[in-house]
């Protein structure tokens, strides 16, 4: 069973999450929360919860939980959308903006750790294969 591609991908994903959560603990973030933070950074500091759902490809309750914990930790504020009262707009705080600038370093460090024994050509091939697999199951 351990040689099945799906099992290997799942195992790699689990290890990435464990290592990333440990690296991010000092910032008081989880991997999922850091992905929300980076998404907001790339969207000028704000997005609706629906946009976050679509980006993460998760359910509404999952996003509500993530955003709620990020709000408790001072990373975001949440307000009703003035244009559409059904939506909530999530906005980064100054604390999150400062923390977000460090996230690129954390992500780059994790990528470097994962790929350290691969050549540039192998990384290119791996990327192409993973993109193909993703398109196949999308």
């Amino acid at each position: 069973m351990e040689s099945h591609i799906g099992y290997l991908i799942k195992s790699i994903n689990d290890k990435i999450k464990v290592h990333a959560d440990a690296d991010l603990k000092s910032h008081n973030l989880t991997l999922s929360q850091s992905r929300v933070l980076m998404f907001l950074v790339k969207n000028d500091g704000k997005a609706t919860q629906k946009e976050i759902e679509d980006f993460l490809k998760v359910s509404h309750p999952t996003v509500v939980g993530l955003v709620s914990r990020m709000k408790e930790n001072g990373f975001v504020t949440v307000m009703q959308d003035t244009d559409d009262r059904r939506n909530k707009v999530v906005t980064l705080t100054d604390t999150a903006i400062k923390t977000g600038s460090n996230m690129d370093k954390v992500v780059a460090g994790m990528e470097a750790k994962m790929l350290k024994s691969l050549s540039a050509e192998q990384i290119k091939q791996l990327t192409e294969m993973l993109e193909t697999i993703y398109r196949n199951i999308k």
Side-chain angles (χ1 to χ4, degrees):
M1 174 149 160
E2 293 176 5
S3 64
H4 293 286
I5 299 288
Y7 177 83
L8 289 170
I9 290 171
K10 170 75 169 103
S11 296
I12 291 166
N13 183 63
D14 291 347
K15 290 289 184 189
I16 289 170
K17 182 170 179 4
V18 167
H19 287 285
D21 284 345
D23 290 345
L24 293 165
K25 190 172 186 159
S26 65
H27 296 287
N28 207 19
L29 287 168
T30 64
L31 178 59
S32 296
Q33 291 169 348
S34 73
R35 292 187 68 214
V36 171
L37 187 136
M38 294 309 298
F39 176 71
L40 292 170
V41 166
K42 290 181 172 127
N43 283 286
D44 296 323
K46 69 178 183 175
T48 65
Q49 286 185 343
K50 176 67 174 140
E51 291 168 330
I52 296 169
E53 281 175 47
D54 292 343
F55 171 73
L56 293 177
K57 296 175 180 49
V58 297
S59 68
H60 179 73
T62 299
V63 169
V64 169
L66 283 169
V67 168
S68 176
R69 284 184 297 283
M70 291 177 75
K71 182 179 176 186
E72 288 171 14
N73 291 328
F75 291 110
V76 298
T77 59
V78 181
M79 299 186 60
Q80 198 122 32
D81 187 344
T82 56
D83 295 329
D84 184 347
R85 297 187 57 77
R86 295 172 294 175
N87 289 326
K88 290 191 177 174
V89 176
V90 181
T91 306
L92 292 175
T93 63
D94 289 340
T95 300
I97 292 168
K98 291 173 191 166
T99 303
S101 65
N102 293 325
M103 290 302 102
D104 286 333
K105 294 174 191 160
V106 172
V107 171
M110 177 56 75
E111 290 247 339
K113 188 184 296 185
M114 286 189 306
L115 303 173
K116 69 181 176 185
S117 62
L118 300 177
S119 69
E121 182 59 31
Q122 288 173 316
I123 292 169
K124 180 181 176 202
Q125 290 172 345
L126 175 62
T127 301
E128 290 169 356
M129 287 186 273
L130 290 172
E131 287 172 347
T132 299
I133 291 168
Y134 182 77
R135 282 191 304 273
N136 289 344
I137 62 172
K138 189 172 175 186

